[in-house]
Amino acid sequence: MKPSDLEILLREGEGTTLEYKEGLSSSFAREVTALANTLGGRILLGVRDDGTVTGIRDSNELRARLQDIARKPVQCSDGFFWRQGAVTQKLSRDEICDFFQKQGAVRFDLAICPRFRYPQDFDPGKFAAWLDRSSITVRGPVEDILVNIEVAERSGGKLLFRNAGVLFFAHDPRRFFSQAYVTCILFKGNDRVHILDRKDFAGGVVADIEDSLRFVERNTRTAYRIEGLRREDIPEYPIKALREAVTNAVMHRDWFIEGANVFVEVTEDRIEISNPGGLPPGLHTADLGTRSVRRNPLIADLLHRIAFIEKAGTGIRRMREEAERHGSPAPVFKTDGFFTAAFKSLAAGPASPTPEVTPEVTPEVTPEVQLLKIMDGEMMQEAMGLKDDEHFRKGYLLPALEAGVIEMTIPDKPRSSKQRYRMTPLGSRILAKWREGRP
């Protein structure tokens, strides 16, 4: 260090990255540990707290003591420390846990779940279904496979399950982790105030992903494009991209955050999929699609074995490619403590010279067409088994109104007791096309 550099440090005063020590006291190890655990920094020996230089005798013994202390940059004999301004502060137990989690030294999915008991809490049906989908060809005792795929380990004659194994193969994962579920919500309009439908899925990682996608497919529309004698189904959103997004959300969420879970929110013109934890340490927004940091490597491996994900680092790129292939706007990603992937509906995409797209008319899956058939006298509500008025309103009446295939006879008084509904010209055309195309 040059004398001019030393002069600057002496004028600067003690702070988060600078400490003065007159001698090699018993607190020196704490200061080294605190700096190493924070942002790094310098300790000037032979300098009083007020910046007065007293000097210190250099010797081989002094250098040896410094090297011995520096071998423990995270912990010293007095505990764990970090810097807050010019003060060295000892970490509490919870702060120590948080520190190691943020540094990636403790992995949630690899940790042992002490409350899980095998085989009482183990669901063999879930494991058999996962195994059938996997690329594992050599079969053997269940316990051996569980150990080989690293979801469990043997200890003292017992089979101990890791957290990832609990999330995949427990009878009830939420009994062990309250945050182990996915919430799917269908909103009316775009203001996220009025909820039309909500489901919490807590059947395990694989079931949660699949149930969430079924919720999306059930609450979004399908159209079709007719060219000549061929009909092409066109979903409102790129389903493969949504599958990738939901899978990524479950796989990459911060499982240490217990007060939050994965959300799938469907509004009038978009779908947002969010997971707690933001980006893993070492990954920045600019890296999305080019770099990969796996927060939960064992969960990722278990999903990769059943082809729910491909190579690491391709998820964001695949979402973008699928949206482009579908003709939808590119997904938008944001991080603010949560990581969110937002998809706009096909209707929001750029205009293009494509053939006419008409609401789907397959009667087995489209509420709008079933309602048109009711209004046309071909099928009565009782015959459909829809005895619940609220289910009929949410599942059939509202979708048909929003699709523009029916309309109110008294639009200015939607809650009038005299309110009736009639088929629109669009609804008549759709029903006519359905009749032409049915077997």
Side-chain angles (χ1 to χ4, degrees):
M1 180 183 296
K2 298 178 182 179
S4 58
D5 296 332
L6 178 60
E7 185 64 29
I8 292 173
L9 292 177
L10 293 173
R11 290 201 304 267
E12 182 179 324
E14 291 181 307
T16 302
T17 60
L18 182 61
E19 173 73 13
Y20 299 156
K21 301 295 290 183
E22 187 172 358
L24 195 59
S25 64
S26 60
S27 66
F28 184 81
R30 295 199 298 269
E31 308 298 349
V32 172
T33 301
L35 290 170
N37 284 342
T38 312
L39 298 173
R42 291 186 174 95
I43 298 177
L44 298 184
L45 284 174
V47 180
R48 292 175 180 164
D49 289 343
D50 61 4
T52 302
V53 177
T54 59
I56 189 170
R57 183 181 179 83
D58 188 12
S59 66
N60 289 334
E61 180 184 358
L62 176 65
R63 291 173 180 265
R65 289 179 63 190
L66 290 173
Q67 287 180 344
D68 183 60
I69 293 171
R71 289 194 184 115
K72 301 175 182 178
V74 175
Q75 178 188 18
C76 65
S77 59
D78 292 331
F80 293 83
F81 297 83
W82 62 11
R83 298 282 285 188
Q84 300 232 342
V87 179
T88 293
Q89 183 174 348
K90 188 172 183 177
L91 277 70
S92 67
R93 179 184 179 277
D94 290 342
E95 288 170 334
I96 293 170
C97 292
D98 289 342
F99 173 79
F100 279 107
Q101 290 168 14
K102 290 176 181 177
Q103 296 297 313
V106 177
R107 296 284 179 85
F108 174 89
D109 57 344
L110 298 178
I112 294 295
C113 182
R115 294 193 298 121
F116 186 90
R117 295 290 181 267
Y118 179 87
Q120 296 93 319
D121 298 321
F122 177 68
D123 189 328
K126 288 181 181 178
F127 178 68
W130 179 90
L131 199 60
D132 286 341
R133 292 182 171 191
S134 74
S135 56
I136 299 174
T137 55
V138 178
R139 303 295 172 93
V142 169
E143 291 80 2
D144 289 348
I145 300 175
L146 291 170
V147 171
N148 288 338
I149 63 176
E150 300 185 41
V151 300
E153 63 181 59
R154 290 186 173 91
S155 177
K158 296 181 179 180
L159 202 63
L160 305 181
F161 261 63
R162 294 192 169 101
N163 290 340
V166 176
L167 292 173
F168 275 80
F169 307 126
H171 281 296
D172 180 12
R174 286 199 72 183
R175 184 171 149 237
F176 304 94
F177 307 111
S178 61
Q179 71 275 32
Y181 65 104
V182 177
T183 296
C184 296
I185 304 177
L186 171 65
F187 292 98
K188 179 181 180 180
N190 290 314
D191 56 8
R192 287 180 168 83
V193 175
H194 302 290
I195 296 176
L196 299 178
D197 193 10
R198 172 181 175 141
K199 293 288 188 297
D200 291 330
F201 298 114
V205 168
V206 175
D208 292 352
I209 293 171
E210 295 185 327
D211 287 340
S212 299
L213 289 167
R214 278 191 283 268
F215 180 93
V216 168
E217 292 178 341
R218 187 170 65 250
N219 289 294
T220 54
R221 304 178 195 183
T222 301
Y224 69 82
R225 177 187 295 129
I226 297 178
E227 295 186 41
L229 298 177
R230 296 182 57 191
R231 189 184 79 176
E232 177 187 358
D233 293 338
I234 306 173
E236 187 177 3
Y237 292 90
I239 297 302
K240 291 183 179 179
L242 293 178
R243 184 181 187 86
E244 194 78 36
V246 174
T247 303
N248 275 15
V250 173
M251 176 175 63
H252 290 306
R253 67 152 294 171
D254 188 341
W255 286 94
F256 283 112
I257 301 176
E258 297 183 7
N261 59 290
V262 173
F263 273 83
V264 178
E265 299 174 289
V266 183
T267 64
E268 184 176 347
D269 69 351
R270 72 182 58 212
I271 295 175
E272 292 193 0
I273 299 162
S274 58
N275 62 272
L279 294 176
L283 194 65
H284 304 282
T285 305
D287 300 325
L288 292 176
T290 60
R291 291 185 59 214
S292 174
V293 177
R294 297 193 298 173
R295 178 181 272 128
N296 304 296
L298 182 52
I299 293 176
D301 180 64
L302 294 172
L303 289 170
H304 177 70
R305 286 177 180 269
I306 58 174
F308 268 48
I309 62 171
E310 292 194 358
K311 294 185 298 182
T314 64
I316 299 295
R317 188 176 73 245
R318 281 164 55 82
M319 288 183 225
R320 289 169 173 160
E321 290 174 350
E322 288 297 335
E324 182 179 2
R325 188 177 296 114
H326 182 256
S328 300
V332 176
F333 306 100
K334 60 181 179 181
T335 57
D336 54 0
F338 277 69
F339 179 80
T340 302
F343 297 83
K344 298 197 75 174
S345 72
L346 183 64
S352 58
T354 57
E356 179 184 2
V357 176
T358 312
E360 170 62 74
V361 297
T362 305
E364 292 79 11
V365 295
T366 307
E368 296 91 330
V369 171
Q370 291 194 19
L371 187 58
L372 290 175
K373 292 172 65 181
I374 294 171
M375 297 181 70
D376 199 48
E378 291 193 19
M379 184 185 297
M380 299 302 293
Q381 181 175 349
E382 292 79 4
M384 297 171 64
L386 300 175
K387 298 179 181 179
D388 189 312
D389 292 341
E390 186 66 9
H391 174 60
F392 176 75
R393 187 181 72 85
K394 289 182 178 181
Y396 294 84
L397 189 62
L398 290 178
L401 283 168
E402 293 176 359
V405 297
I406 66 170
E407 61 186 3
M408 297 179 184
T409 56
I410 314 175
D412 296 336
K413 298 179 180 180
R415 296 186 180 275
S416 171
S417 60
K418 297 181 180 180
Q419 185 67 259
R420 298 294 183 269
Y421 301 90
R422 61 191 171 207
M423 196 180 306
T424 65
L426 174 62
S428 298
R429 292 197 301 271
I430 292 173
L431 189 57
K433 287 186 178 181
W434 178 84
R435 288 171 177 164
E436 293 173 2
R438 67 179 176 176

